[in-house]
Amino acid sequence: SEKSEARGAGPTSAAKTTRTDYARWRLKNDRGVQTWHYLETDEENEAWPQTPADKWYLGMDLGLAHPPPAKTPLQAAMNGLSCFSHLQQEPGNWACEYGGPMFLLPGLVITWYVTETPILDSQSIEMKKYLFARQNPVDGGWGLHIEGESTVFGTTMNYTTLRLLGADPEDPRMIKARETLWKLGGALMGPHWAKFWLSVLGVLDYDVVNPVPPELWLLPDWVPVAPWRWWIHMRMVFLPMSYVYSKRWSYPLNDLTRQLRSELLVQPFETIDFDSHRNTISPRDNYHPKSWVLRLMFWVLINIWFPFLRTASLKKRAEDHVWWLIQAEDENTDFANLGPVNGPMNTLCAYIQGGPDSFSFREHVKTLPEFLWMNAEGMLMNGTNGVQCWDTSFLINAASHAGLCDDPQFRPMLTKALSFLEDQQIDKECRDQKQCYRQQRKGAWGFSNKKQGYTVSDCTSEGVKSVLILQKQHTGFPQLISDRRCKDAIDVILTMQNPSGGCASYEPTRGSELLEHLNAAEVFGRIMIEYDYPECTTACITALHLFQQHFPDYRTEDIKVFKERAIEYIRNSQHPDGSWYGSWGICFTYAGMFAMESLSCGGENYANSARVRKGCQFLLDHQMEDGGWGETYRSCETGVYHQHERSQVVQTAWVVIALLEAEFPDREPLKRALRMIMRRQQTDGGWAQEAIEGVFNKSCMISYPNYKFIFPIKALGMFAQKWGDEILL
Ligand code: LAN
């Protein structure tokens, strides 16, 4: 492919290099906007030294001093916290890789390729390295996420990405991947998103893509299926996808894409009836099979709506409106966009609409690298533009529960963390809030940074809780955030409750569960609307609970009613076996921690509540030989507790916290658990990475590498606070 070679993405001599010099990578953190840079020249390299955090992310030795080994839980917590303090970023937050999903980088690389955006050699080399490192050792394919078995989605998309980045089709690793893909039936057996991206690239024909009609955006708001009612991540992906689909935009065929046709497909391109493959999908990819309603809808769209009913003016009106909404999203997020799927897609729309020199396209190209991350295996794409506010709030919360906020050793670190949260609180509503269906957000925090600007019920709750903890519960911290601003946060939280009493993630639920019949993504479950989550609900309850103690006169009745109804939802969502299902962490151990905290806010504990006793029993029944807990991601997929073969530090910490919140009276199981956590603590005070911690949409796992600091610190310290700091090891 001459073209890609000319752009530096092809097999030029530089791109043949298989790794870069790790001593030259730096994370730049500009008020929570994080980008990785490769310093090509020695001068640059000397002028900007690597921080301990950079080295840690890159898997290099930090050379930290080793504290005396801990004998008591509090010592262990302090060793952990002091190790973690070295990883704090200059603006005050903690950062980390946020990998796991294996379908994100392909969207970015395809977008770069079809818009002919130059790819830096340093990036291209490290992306290839990462993808090869993450190939399944047995069959050479890739799954939906790093721990998943190979699927058509993972394998086609990552194979294609490697080829666009210049990998040689005759490389034995590529041959192996291709064989696996062919065994699974080739690219035609992929899910909707794979078919869409490959059609954009010009490798498949649009006839293979189930319809994504932009006209849906013209439906009046009262219509039960109108997209504004969908879960925000689905509608914000549907939005740019419908624009590209409506234009049937695809990249002109070249040698590389012609070759990809023969590498990805098991039969010659010319012989394929693409329309008849719209619904073919490999069983491995088909987590949520499409309903007959949806298939019928697609049939009507293809055979009646598009050919006979859709007028040119209607098409134009729909595209214009969609483009307006895309621009509003871009402006409201300063081009950061909601997430890693709509980010590249909006970029593509900007290119289609305004060309390579348009302001909008150029801003997107500048912003996309905020999703990229470097680790010891290479360069990957994060699930969001970072974990800044979330992990920072959690750390403050952990330090406080561990009784470490008043320790002078940690004061500067916590003060900096507070000033980060101050800087990142969202201070105004969106432009055209109503027309773009955005939730109230003044006073809120997001998951990542203020720039992205989406409030999440629990991110705002954890944010305001951390502020209250440091400013009101402890003395000696600067009062950076005014009472008014705390009240603004509470106002946002109070908008989040559903009629059930529970809280969802970004907005209250806006549509019926029946909308799940329109789930066309196949690879994910329960994605079409917002649902109630014990995790999010608990965060709201605990935030309101703490706020009430310091502001008893502010919206007293609203808060009281909200809390009561929310706790009632937690009670109702307990399964008959005593467990709660977690949607954002794996899985029952994660939700158990939150549910117990909620019940404790409602005054329920082991001594006075059968519900709490049942919850504790469920957890205790799963304690392992070595005192720990270990649950696999199968729990999330199936809704049934799946035992991991090895106990996990993070999940063990979650359960310890749950049992402490429940005021479980016997400390023996807790001590066994803490001994296991302490035995696994490394000499520098940190813990090694174990299995993946997080999940979304039931089927896709996602990493939270900082959890292995945050939750063990909290569990160890909380135990010491409650039961005394006795010698355990
Ligand atoms: C996240 C990350 C954070 C997470 C918590 C705050 C932990 C949770 O309690 C509420 C939901 C939220 C905000 C969340 C929602 C879905 C996200 C954004 C993710 C799991 C990170 C990646 C995921 C996003 C949907 C990935 C892109 C994939 C698509 C299917 C669009």
Side-chain angles (χ1 to χ4, degrees), residues 63 90 121 154 278 307 328 406 415 417 442 530 559 656 663 705 719:
E90 182 46 38
D121 278 343
R278 276 188 296 112
D406 298 318
T415 307
K442 181 171 179 230
E530 282 274 12
I559 293 176
V656 169
E663 297 180 52
F719 178 89

Side-chain angles (χ1 to χ4, degrees), residues 98 101 103-104 193 231 233-234 237 338-341 383-384 390 447 456 458-459 505-506 524 527 535-536 584 590 695-697 702 704 707:
Y98 194 37
F103 60 94
L104 302 176
W193 288 12
W231 185 44
H233 277 282
M234 283 306 115
V237 170
L338 173 63
V341 181
T384 55
W390 183 245
F447 180 75
V456 187
D458 53 359
C459 300
S505 56
Y506 295 78
F524 305 118
I527 52 171
E535 302 98 304
C536 299
W584 307 109
Y590 186 64
V695 58
F696 57 92
N697 304 349
I702 187 156
Y704 288 84
Y707 281 6

Side-chain angles (χ1 to χ4, degrees), residues 69 242 256 286 325 494 529 573 583 612 615 637:
S242 71
L256 179 56
N286 206 6
L325 287 167
L494 289 173
I529 56 163
S573 59
S583 295
V612 171
E637 292 178 341

Side-chain angles (χ1 to χ4, degrees), residues 114-414:
V114 301
T115 59
E116 308 194 343
T117 304
I119 306 175
L120 297 174
D121 278 343
S122 51
Q123 291 177 336
S124 152
I125 291 166
E126 291 298 337
M127 286 174 177
K128 278 182 282 190
K129 191 165 115 232
Y130 181 78
L131 294 181
F132 280 132
R134 280 293 160 185
Q135 219 173 355
N136 279 335
V138 182
D139 61 13
W142 292 266
L144 182 65
H145 57 91
I146 53 175
E147 292 193 7
E149 59 175 4
S150 302
T151 60
V152 175
F153 192 23
T155 309
T156 16
M157 297 297 280
N158 289 298
Y159 181 93
T160 302
T161 306
L162 278 164
R163 290 286 281 128
L164 299 182
L165 294 172
D168 180 352
E170 295 317 317
D171 183 314
R173 295 167 296 186
M174 297 295 275
I175 297 179
K176 196 168 169 191
R178 222 155 49 222
E179 279 166 2
T180 292
L181 178 61
W182 289 349
K183 268 193 215 129
L184 292 171
L188 288 180
M189 298 295 273
H192 187 242
W193 288 12
K195 287 168 172 159
F196 169 79
W197 277 120
L198 291 176
S199 302
V200 166
L201 186 58
V203 169
L204 297 183
D205 185 293
Y206 265 101
D207 285 349
V208 81
V209 183
N210 271 322
V212 198
E215 299 78 310
L216 280 189
W217 286 99
L218 298 176
L219 291 173
D221 287 352
W222 58 265
V223 177
V225 299
W228 73 277
R229 300 175 183 275
W230 304 3
W231 185 44
I232 198 159
H233 277 282
M234 283 306 115
R235 68 173 193 261
M236 295 317 278
V237 170
F238 179 80
L239 182 74
M241 201 184 225
S242 71
Y243 186 82
V244 179
Y245 177 84
S246 186
K247 303 244 177 225
R248 287 196 157 226
W249 189 91
S250 79
Y251 192 62
L253 195 63
N254 64 20
D255 287 347
L256 179 56
T257 49
R258 193 173 296 114
Q259 283 167 25
L260 273 169
R261 286 181 174 177
S262 65
E263 291 163 34
L264 299 175
L265 296 168
V266 292
Q267 66 190 96
F269 182 89
E270 293 69 27
T271 66
I272 297 171
D273 170 9
F274 282 96
D275 179 67
S276 73
H277 285 283
R278 276 188 296 112
N279 293 311
T280 52
I281 179 160
S282 129
R284 290 248 193 123
D285 290 67
N286 206 6
Y287 181 80
H288 181 104
K290 289 185 295 299
S291 65
W292 67 266
V293 187
L294 186 61
R295 283 155 154 261
L296 179 68
M297 203 185 98
F298 286 150
W299 189 91
V300 171
L301 282 168
I302 297 241
N303 296 292
I304 301 171
W305 177 256
F306 291 134
F308 302 117
L309 300 178
R310 187 203 213 199
T311 61
S313 78
L314 188 65
K315 173 174 186 278
K316 181 166 182 317
R317 235 174 33 134
E319 286 174 3
D320 288 349
H321 183 50
V322 163
W323 173 243
W324 184 88
L325 287 167
I326 291 173
Q327 280 176 295
E329 156 77 350
D330 287 348
E331 261 180 57
N332 279 326
T333 60
D334 199 6
F335 296 89
N337 294 154
L338 173 63
V341 181
N342 83 327
M345 280 188 196
N346 278 15
T347 308
L348 179 58
C349 293
Y351 179 85
I352 296 172
Q353 211 279 337
D357 296 321
S358 62
F359 172 76
S360 166
F361 175 71
R362 292 215 308 254
E363 286 302 305
H364 271 297
V365 170
K366 263 195 265 167
T367 311
L368 284 172
E370 290 163 27
F371 286 113
L372 295 173
W373 193 263
M374 272 299 293
N375 75 10
E377 292 172 324
M379 184 167 257
L380 62 128
M381 186 146 168
N382 277 346
T384 55
N385 61 340
V387 299
Q388 298 83 327
C389 290
W390 183 245
D391 280 2
T392 305
S393 298
F394 262 166
L395 184 275
I396 294 172
N397 181 303
S400 158
H401 277 85
L404 296 174
C405 284
D406 298 318
D407 188 324
Q409 183 191 341
F410 299 118
R411 192 162 290 258
M413 169 188 85
L414 293 167

Side-chain angles (χ1 to χ4, degrees), residues 620 623 627 629 656 659 664 666-674:
L620 289 167
Q623 188 167 26
W629 277 263
V656 169
L659 294 173
F664 182 69
D666 175 8
R667 52 185 146 151
E668 282 319 308
L670 295 172
K671 278 161 58 174
R672 288 175 53 217
L674 292 180

